[in-house]
Amino acid sequence: MKKILFLHGFFASGQCVPALALSESFEGRAEVLAPDLPMHPKEAIEFIHELIDREKPDLLVGNSCGSFYAQMVAPIVGIPALLGNPHFKMTEFLKQRIGEHQYKSPRKDGKQNFVIDEALIEEFVEMEATQFNNCIPDFKDRIWGLFGEQDTLAHFEPLFLQHYNRSFHFPGGHRRSPHLVCAIG
């Protein structure tokens, strides 16, 4: 059976609406892995690499911050990726949200609170500076972008198209959109 690795957005978890919808949509056709990602980007990338080495997924599907990670990892591991509303400038997003927050879906470790601080933002600054370094010509058509026409949070299709060739639109917004699932289902 095929495997899909779903990488959730920053405020989400592996139990978020898109992950659950993806699992339901592919029931019996593909196994959907939807882990809770570490909050810190270097830890998240390391975790994703370890999971890919162990599980050998056939496809990466990212949403928002998960798309940020997926496009960095996909060319290195040789797995195609679908990026839903990719957020390539996480530092801009985080700077406006310094302070304590709660995840919007339950995490398996039970921790629901987290803090956005300058140290976390600086980690994303470092990651953003090199995020497109692994873009290779062979992957320009193996990484697809899916952009919500009513997305008011992430407007990065022009940046995406500087590196990749396949861009698609859906009528929804940034969060909790079933269109990500419909696009690959």
Side-chain angles (χ1 to χ4, degrees), residues 25 178-185:
S25 178
H179 296 89
L180 177 64
V181 175
C182 295
I184 63 172

Side-chain angles (χ1 to χ4, degrees), residues 10 14 30 38 55 58 103 117 125 134 145 158:
F10 187 79
E55 296 291 338
D58 301 287
Y103 289 104
D117 58 17
V125 167
N134 296 317

